[in-house]
Amino acid sequence: MNAVILPWVIGTPQIIFIVIVVLLLFGGRKIPELMRGLGSGIKEFKDASKEDEPATKPEEDQKRL
């Protein structure tokens, strides 16, 4: 009955299956390289999003009030 109510919940068997498929597709040696690339991509994205934020000084904020 729970499978009918919550069909998108990922359980332990699904996670194990996904890990096995990833190991078969990429092999044990490629996974650290993929994780390094993913981590550096996330870091670059965060750095780029910080650069896009407008830098306001506290004096400017007080003048607006």
Side-chain angles (χ1 to χ4, degrees), residues 6-19:
L6 301 172
W8 299 284
V9 175
I10 297 177
T12 304
Q14 289 85 5
I15 293 174
I16 292 171
F17 178 75
I18 291 169
V19 169

Side-chain angles (χ1 to χ4, degrees), residues 57-65:
K57 295 180 182 178
E59 300 102 27
E60 293 175 2
D61 289 340
Q62 290 178 357
K63 288 179 184 177
R64 292 180 187 175
L65 295 175

Side-chain angles (χ1 to χ4, degrees), residues 18-52:
I18 291 169
V19 169
I20 290 172
V21 169
V22 168
L23 280 173
L24 289 174
L25 288 175
F26 298 109
R29 294 184 184 179
K30 280 286 192 185
I31 292 177
E33 293 176 25
L34 293 171
M35 293 299 114
R36 251 183 249 115
L38 180 65
S40 65
I42 291 172
K43 183 179 177 186
E44 289 178 20
F45 178 76
K46 286 182 179 181
D47 291 342
S49 65
K50 286 180 183 177
E51 290 176 2
D52 289 341

